[in-house]
PDB file of all heavy atoms in Angstrom:
ATOM      1  N   GLU B  34      93.104  97.716 171.930  1.00 48.00           N
ATOM      2  CA  GLU B  34      93.924  96.526 171.581  1.00 48.00           C
ATOM      3  C   GLU B  34      94.588  96.617 170.207  1.00 48.00           C
ATOM      4  O   GLU B  34      95.318  95.808 169.860  1.00 48.00           O
ATOM      5  CB  GLU B  34      93.123  95.226 171.766  1.00 48.00           C
ATOM      6  CG  GLU B  34      92.738  95.052 173.162  1.00 48.00           C
ATOM      7  CD  GLU B  34      92.510  93.527 173.431  1.00 48.00           C
ATOM      8  OE1 GLU B  34      92.475  92.768 172.503  1.00 48.00           O
ATOM      9  OE2 GLU B  34      92.308  93.149 174.658  1.00 48.00           O
ATOM     10  N   TYR B  35      94.152  97.582 169.459  1.00 49.00           N
ATOM     11  CA  TYR B  35      94.700  97.699 168.103  1.00 49.00           C
ATOM     12  C   TYR B  35      95.740  98.821 168.060  1.00 49.00           C
ATOM     13  O   TYR B  35      95.756  99.660 168.954  1.00 49.00           O
ATOM     14  CB  TYR B  35      93.621  97.826 167.106  1.00 49.00           C
ATOM     15  CG  TYR B  35      92.802  96.618 167.095  1.00 49.00           C
ATOM     16  CD1 TYR B  35      91.557  96.545 167.732  1.00 49.00           C
ATOM     17  CD2 TYR B  35      93.287  95.426 166.486  1.00 49.00           C
ATOM     18  CE1 TYR B  35      90.853  95.337 167.881  1.00 49.00           C
ATOM     19  CE2 TYR B  35      92.523  94.256 166.504  1.00 49.00           C
ATOM     20  CZ  TYR B  35      91.369  94.195 167.212  1.00 49.00           C
ATOM     21  OH  TYR B  35      90.676  93.033 167.255  1.00 49.00           O
ATOM     22  N   PRO B  36      96.581  98.896 167.015  1.00 50.00           N
ATOM     23  CA  PRO B  36      97.659  99.935 166.932  1.00 50.00           C
ATOM     24  C   PRO B  36      97.018 101.298 167.186  1.00 50.00           C
ATOM     25  O   PRO B  36      95.981 101.680 166.683  1.00 50.00           O
ATOM     26  CB  PRO B  36      98.061  99.837 165.513  1.00 50.00           C
ATOM     27  CG  PRO B  36      97.782  98.402 165.118  1.00 50.00           C
ATOM     28  CD  PRO B  36      96.503  98.054 165.865  1.00 50.00           C
ATOM     29  N   ALA B  37      97.573 102.004 168.112  1.00 54.00           N
ATOM     30  CA  ALA B  37      97.103 103.310 168.504  1.00 54.00           C
ATOM     31  C   ALA B  37      97.269 104.337 167.373  1.00 54.00           C
ATOM     32  O   ALA B  37      98.147 104.110 166.504  1.00 54.00           O
ATOM     33  CB  ALA B  37      97.813 103.724 169.725  1.00 54.00           C
ATOM     34  N   VAL B  38      96.473 105.372 167.406  1.00 56.00           N
ATOM     35  CA  VAL B  38      96.608 106.478 166.458  1.00 56.00           C
ATOM     36  C   VAL B  38      97.999 107.090 166.788  1.00 56.00           C
ATOM     37  O   VAL B  38      98.293 107.391 167.958  1.00 56.00           O
ATOM     38  CB  VAL B  38      95.492 107.478 166.676  1.00 56.00           C
ATOM     39  CG1 VAL B  38      95.687 108.622 165.708  1.00 56.00           C
ATOM     40  CG2 VAL B  38      94.209 106.796 166.345  1.00 56.00           C
ATOM     41  N   ARG B  39      98.802 107.287 165.680  1.00 67.00           N
ATOM     42  CA  ARG B  39     100.064 107.932 165.904  1.00 67.00           C
ATOM     43  C   ARG B  39      99.819 109.467 166.281  1.00 67.00           C
ATOM     44  O   ARG B  39      98.745 109.931 166.068  1.00 67.00           O
ATOM     45  CB  ARG B  39     100.931 107.860 164.665  1.00 67.00           C
ATOM     46  CG  ARG B  39     101.557 106.472 164.565  1.00 67.00           C
ATOM     47  CD  ARG B  39     102.157 106.346 163.198  1.00 67.00           C
ATOM     48  NE  ARG B  39     101.130 106.238 162.077  1.00 67.00           N
ATOM     49  CZ  ARG B  39     101.259 106.507 160.832  1.00 67.00           C
ATOM     50  NH1 ARG B  39     102.429 106.965 160.346  1.00 67.00           N
ATOM     51  NH2 ARG B  39     100.257 106.414 159.938  1.00 67.00           N
ATOM     52  N   THR B  40     100.828 110.123 166.757  1.00 79.00           N
ATOM     53  CA  THR B  40     100.693 111.522 167.096  1.00 79.00           C
ATOM     54  C   THR B  40     100.779 112.400 165.800  1.00 79.00           C
ATOM     55  O   THR B  40     101.801 112.372 165.116  1.00 79.00           O
ATOM     56  CB  THR B  40     101.800 111.874 168.055  1.00 79.00           C
ATOM     57  OG1 THR B  40     101.891 110.941 169.063  1.00 79.00           O
ATOM     58  CG2 THR B  40     101.537 113.275 168.642  1.00 79.00           C
ATOM     59  N   PHE B  41      99.743 113.103 165.634  1.00 86.00           N
ATOM     60  CA  PHE B  41      99.677 113.967 164.466  1.00 86.00           C
ATOM     61  C   PHE B  41      99.537 115.426 164.954  1.00 86.00           C
ATOM     62  O   PHE B  41      98.990 115.681 166.077  1.00 86.00           O
ATOM     63  CB  PHE B  41      98.489 113.687 163.501  1.00 86.00           C
ATOM     64  CG  PHE B  41      98.678 112.248 162.874  1.00 86.00           C
ATOM     65  CD1 PHE B  41      97.721 111.270 163.149  1.00 86.00           C
ATOM     66  CD2 PHE B  41      99.791 112.008 162.036  1.00 86.00           C
ATOM     67  CE1 PHE B  41      97.921 110.053 162.591  1.00 86.00           C
ATOM     68  CE2 PHE B  41      99.872 110.787 161.427  1.00 86.00           C
ATOM     69  CZ  PHE B  41      98.939 109.824 161.702  1.00 86.00           C
ATOM     70  N   THR B  42      99.789 116.435 164.089  1.00 91.00           N
ATOM     71  CA  THR B  42      99.432 117.763 164.396  1.00 91.00           C
ATOM     72  C   THR B  42      97.981 117.929 164.334  1.00 91.00           C
ATOM     73  O   THR B  42      97.240 117.107 163.875  1.00 91.00           O
ATOM     74  CB  THR B  42     100.079 118.714 163.305  1.00 91.00           C
ATOM     75  OG1 THR B  42      99.475 118.346 161.992  1.00 91.00           O
ATOM     76  CG2 THR B  42     101.560 118.544 163.218  1.00 91.00           C
ATOM     77  N   ALA B  43      97.462 119.107 164.774  1.00 92.00           N
ATOM     78  CA  ALA B  43      96.036 119.380 164.780  1.00 92.00           C
ATOM     79  C   ALA B  43      95.524 119.341 163.364  1.00 92.00           C
ATOM     80  O   ALA B  43      94.545 118.744 163.033  1.00 92.00           O
ATOM     81  CB  ALA B  43      95.737 120.834 165.418  1.00 92.00           C
ATOM     82  N   LYS B  44      96.345 119.921 162.400  1.00 92.00           N
ATOM     83  CA  LYS B  44      95.997 119.861 161.030  1.00 92.00           C
ATOM     84  C   LYS B  44      95.901 118.469 160.470  1.00 92.00           C
ATOM     85  O   LYS B  44      95.018 118.006 159.716  1.00 92.00           O
ATOM     86  CB  LYS B  44      96.906 120.733 160.206  1.00 92.00           C
ATOM     87  CG  LYS B  44      96.390 121.050 158.848  1.00 92.00           C
ATOM     88  CD  LYS B  44      97.418 121.908 158.009  1.00 92.00           C
ATOM     89  CE  LYS B  44      97.095 121.805 156.523  1.00 92.00           C
ATOM     90  NZ  LYS B  44      98.178 122.199 155.642  1.00 92.00           N
ATOM     91  N   GLY B  45      96.908 117.693 160.962  1.00 93.00           N
ATOM     92  CA  GLY B  45      96.948 116.259 160.548  1.00 93.00           C
ATOM     93  C   GLY B  45      95.822 115.490 161.041  1.00 93.00           C
ATOM     94  O   GLY B  45      95.186 114.706 160.327  1.00 93.00           O
ATOM     95  N   LEU B  46      95.452 115.701 162.329  1.00 93.00           N
ATOM     96  CA  LEU B  46      94.296 115.070 162.850  1.00 93.00           C
ATOM     97  C   LEU B  46      92.993 115.400 162.121  1.00 93.00           C
ATOM     98  O   LEU B  46      92.129 114.509 161.876  1.00 93.00           O
ATOM     99  CB  LEU B  46      94.117 115.427 164.359  1.00 93.00           C
ATOM    100  CG  LEU B  46      95.087 114.660 165.298  1.00 93.00           C
ATOM    101  CD1 LEU B  46      94.891 115.203 166.730  1.00 93.00           C
ATOM    102  CD2 LEU B  46      94.742 113.186 165.239  1.00 93.00           C
ATOM    103  N   ALA B  47      92.884 116.649 161.753  1.00 94.00           N
ATOM    104  CA  ALA B  47      91.724 117.101 160.990  1.00 94.00           C
ATOM    105  C   ALA B  47      91.647 116.404 159.635  1.00 94.00           C
ATOM    106  O   ALA B  47      90.593 115.972 159.154  1.00 94.00           O
ATOM    107  CB  ALA B  47      91.707 118.574 160.835  1.00 94.00           C
ATOM    108  N   THR B  48      92.790 116.248 158.972  1.00 96.00           N
ATOM    109  CA  THR B  48      92.845 115.573 157.653  1.00 96.00           C
ATOM    110  C   THR B  48      92.421 114.111 157.847  1.00 96.00           C
ATOM    111  O   THR B  48      91.630 113.503 157.105  1.00 96.00           O
ATOM    112  CB  THR B  48      94.212 115.651 157.037  1.00 96.00           C
ATOM    113  OG1 THR B  48      94.610 117.029 156.930  1.00 96.00           O
ATOM    114  CG2 THR B  48      94.297 115.068 155.718  1.00 96.00           C
ATOM    115  N   ARG B  49      93.051 113.454 158.888  1.00 96.00           N
ATOM    116  CA  ARG B  49      92.729 112.078 159.143  1.00 96.00           C
ATOM    117  C   ARG B  49      91.207 111.903 159.440  1.00 96.00           C
ATOM    118  O   ARG B  49      90.590 110.990 158.905  1.00 96.00           O
ATOM    119  CB  ARG B  49      93.515 111.658 160.441  1.00 96.00           C
ATOM    120  CG  ARG B  49      93.305 110.190 160.747  1.00 96.00           C
ATOM    121  CD  ARG B  49      94.111 109.821 162.053  1.00 96.00           C
ATOM    122  NE  ARG B  49      93.973 108.352 162.317  1.00 96.00           N
ATOM    123  CZ  ARG B  49      92.861 107.805 162.853  1.00 96.00           C
ATOM    124  NH1 ARG B  49      91.825 108.523 163.140  1.00 96.00           N
ATOM    125  NH2 ARG B  49      92.875 106.498 163.025  1.00 96.00           N
ATOM    126  N   GLU B  50      90.620 112.824 160.179  1.00 96.00           N
ATOM    127  CA  GLU B  50      89.221 112.723 160.515  1.00 96.00           C
ATOM    128  C   GLU B  50      88.374 112.871 159.228  1.00 96.00           C
ATOM    129  O   GLU B  50      87.342 112.128 159.061  1.00 96.00           O
ATOM    130  CB  GLU B  50      88.850 113.888 161.533  1.00 96.00           C
ATOM    131  CG  GLU B  50      87.363 113.990 161.789  1.00 96.00           C
ATOM    132  CD  GLU B  50      86.827 112.916 162.756  1.00 96.00           C
ATOM    133  OE1 GLU B  50      87.699 112.036 163.152  1.00 96.00           O
ATOM    134  OE2 GLU B  50      85.655 112.870 162.984  1.00 96.00           O
ATOM    135  N   ARG B  51      88.828 113.710 158.284  1.00 97.00           N
ATOM    136  CA  ARG B  51      88.054 113.957 157.050  1.00 97.00           C
ATOM    137  C   ARG B  51      88.078 112.618 156.248  1.00 97.00           C
ATOM    138  O   ARG B  51      87.096 112.250 155.565  1.00 97.00           O
ATOM    139  CB  ARG B  51      88.708 115.084 156.276  1.00 97.00           C
ATOM    140  CG  ARG B  51      87.806 115.832 155.385  1.00 97.00           C
ATOM    141  CD  ARG B  51      88.301 117.204 154.898  1.00 97.00           C
ATOM    142  NE  ARG B  51      89.346 117.038 153.980  1.00 97.00           N
ATOM    143  CZ  ARG B  51      90.575 117.522 154.144  1.00 97.00           C
ATOM    144  NH1 ARG B  51      90.882 118.247 155.222  1.00 97.00           N
ATOM    145  NH2 ARG B  51      91.547 117.383 153.270  1.00 97.00           N
ATOM    146  N   ILE B  52      89.308 111.968 156.284  1.00 97.00           N
ATOM    147  CA  ILE B  52      89.373 110.673 155.495  1.00 97.00           C
ATOM    148  C   ILE B  52      88.394 109.611 156.218  1.00 97.00           C
ATOM    149  O   ILE B  52      87.668 108.909 155.427  1.00 97.00           O
ATOM    150  CB  ILE B  52      90.795 110.166 155.548  1.00 97.00           C
ATOM    151  CG1 ILE B  52      91.749 111.101 154.751  1.00 97.00           C
ATOM    152  CG2 ILE B  52      90.883 108.768 154.987  1.00 97.00           C
ATOM    153  CD1 ILE B  52      93.242 110.861 154.993  1.00 97.00           C
ATOM    154  N   VAL B  53      88.397 109.630 157.512  1.00 98.00           N
ATOM    155  CA  VAL B  53      87.580 108.565 158.220  1.00 98.00           C
ATOM    156  C   VAL B  53      86.084 108.822 157.920  1.00 98.00           C
ATOM    157  O   VAL B  53      85.332 107.887 157.708  1.00 98.00           O
ATOM    158  CB  VAL B  53      87.872 108.564 159.654  1.00 98.00           C
ATOM    159  CG1 VAL B  53      86.934 107.611 160.421  1.00 98.00           C
ATOM    160  CG2 VAL B  53      89.321 108.068 159.947  1.00 98.00           C
ATOM    161  N   VAL B  54      85.725 110.101 157.946  1.00 97.00           N
ATOM    162  CA  VAL B  54      84.324 110.388 157.744  1.00 97.00           C
ATOM    163  C   VAL B  54      83.847 110.082 156.268  1.00 97.00           C
ATOM    164  O   VAL B  54      82.831 109.481 156.055  1.00 97.00           O
ATOM    165  CB  VAL B  54      84.040 111.958 158.004  1.00 97.00           C
ATOM    166  CG1 VAL B  54      82.595 112.365 157.513  1.00 97.00           C
ATOM    167  CG2 VAL B  54      84.157 112.223 159.498  1.00 97.00           C
ATOM    168  N   ALA B  55      84.769 110.340 155.362  1.00 97.00           N
ATOM    169  CA  ALA B  55      84.469 110.073 153.962  1.00 97.00           C
ATOM    170  C   ALA B  55      84.420 108.527 153.798  1.00 97.00           C
ATOM    171  O   ALA B  55      83.525 108.033 153.096  1.00 97.00           O
ATOM    172  CB  ALA B  55      85.556 110.616 153.015  1.00 97.00           C
ATOM    173  N   ALA B  56      85.358 107.819 154.409  1.00 97.00           N
ATOM    174  CA  ALA B  56      85.342 106.327 154.296  1.00 97.00           C
ATOM    175  C   ALA B  56      84.127 105.792 154.912  1.00 97.00           C
ATOM    176  O   ALA B  56      83.472 104.801 154.329  1.00 97.00           O
ATOM    177  CB  ALA B  56      86.592 105.670 154.931  1.00 97.00           C
ATOM    178  N   SER B  57      83.694 106.219 156.061  1.00 97.00           N
ATOM    179  CA  SER B  57      82.525 105.785 156.754  1.00 97.00           C
ATOM    180  C   SER B  57      81.215 105.947 155.902  1.00 97.00           C
ATOM    181  O   SER B  57      80.486 104.996 155.663  1.00 97.00           O
ATOM    182  CB  SER B  57      82.185 106.609 158.035  1.00 97.00           C
ATOM    183  OG  SER B  57      83.040 106.242 159.035  1.00 97.00           O
ATOM    184  N   SER B  58      81.136 107.123 155.322  1.00 95.00           N
ATOM    185  CA  SER B  58      80.010 107.390 154.549  1.00 95.00           C
ATOM    186  C   SER B  58      79.923 106.532 153.273  1.00 95.00           C
ATOM    187  O   SER B  58      78.905 105.877 152.984  1.00 95.00           O
ATOM    188  CB  SER B  58      80.101 108.852 154.097  1.00 95.00           C
ATOM    189  OG  SER B  58      79.204 109.162 153.059  1.00 95.00           O
ATOM    190  N   LEU B  59      81.045 106.331 152.606  1.00 95.00           N
ATOM    191  CA  LEU B  59      81.045 105.485 151.396  1.00 95.00           C
ATOM    192  C   LEU B  59      80.852 103.974 151.715  1.00 95.00           C
ATOM    193  O   LEU B  59      80.106 103.247 151.004  1.00 95.00           O
ATOM    194  CB  LEU B  59      82.300 105.695 150.546  1.00 95.00           C
ATOM    195  CG  LEU B  59      82.414 107.052 149.899  1.00 95.00           C
ATOM    196  CD1 LEU B  59      83.749 107.298 149.275  1.00 95.00           C
ATOM    197  CD2 LEU B  59      81.329 107.325 148.883  1.00 95.00           C
ATOM    198  N   MET B  60      81.517 103.550 152.784  1.00 94.00           N
ATOM    199  CA  MET B  60      81.371 102.117 153.184  1.00 94.00           C
ATOM    200  C   MET B  60      79.998 101.809 153.545  1.00 94.00           C
ATOM    201  O   MET B  60      79.462 100.739 153.275  1.00 94.00           O
ATOM    202  CB  MET B  60      82.328 101.799 154.317  1.00 94.00           C
ATOM    203  CG  MET B  60      83.817 101.706 153.841  1.00 94.00           C
ATOM    204  SD  MET B  60      84.933 101.251 155.260  1.00 94.00           S
ATOM    205  CE  MET B  60      86.542 101.460 154.373  1.00 94.00           C
ATOM    206  N   LEU B  61      79.275 102.735 154.290  1.00 92.00           N
ATOM    207  CA  LEU B  61      77.927 102.453 154.749  1.00 92.00           C
ATOM    208  C   LEU B  61      76.938 102.541 153.675  1.00 92.00           C
ATOM    209  O   LEU B  61      75.911 101.857 153.563  1.00 92.00           O
ATOM    210  CB  LEU B  61      77.586 103.274 155.905  1.00 92.00           C
ATOM    211  CG  LEU B  61      78.260 102.871 157.212  1.00 92.00           C
ATOM    212  CD1 LEU B  61      78.103 103.922 158.335  1.00 92.00           C
ATOM    213  CD2 LEU B  61      77.746 101.532 157.693  1.00 92.00           C
TER     214      LEU B  61
END
Side-chain angles (χ1 to χ4, degrees):
Chain B
E34 294 204 352
Y35 295 101
V38 177
R39 282 167 291 158
T40 312
F41 295 117
T42 61
K44 193 179 163 200
L46 281 174
T48 305
R49 183 182 184 281
E50 176 73 3
R51 210 163 70 237
I52 295 168
V53 174
V54 169
S57 283
S58 162
L59 292 172
M60 286 180 186
L61 287 168

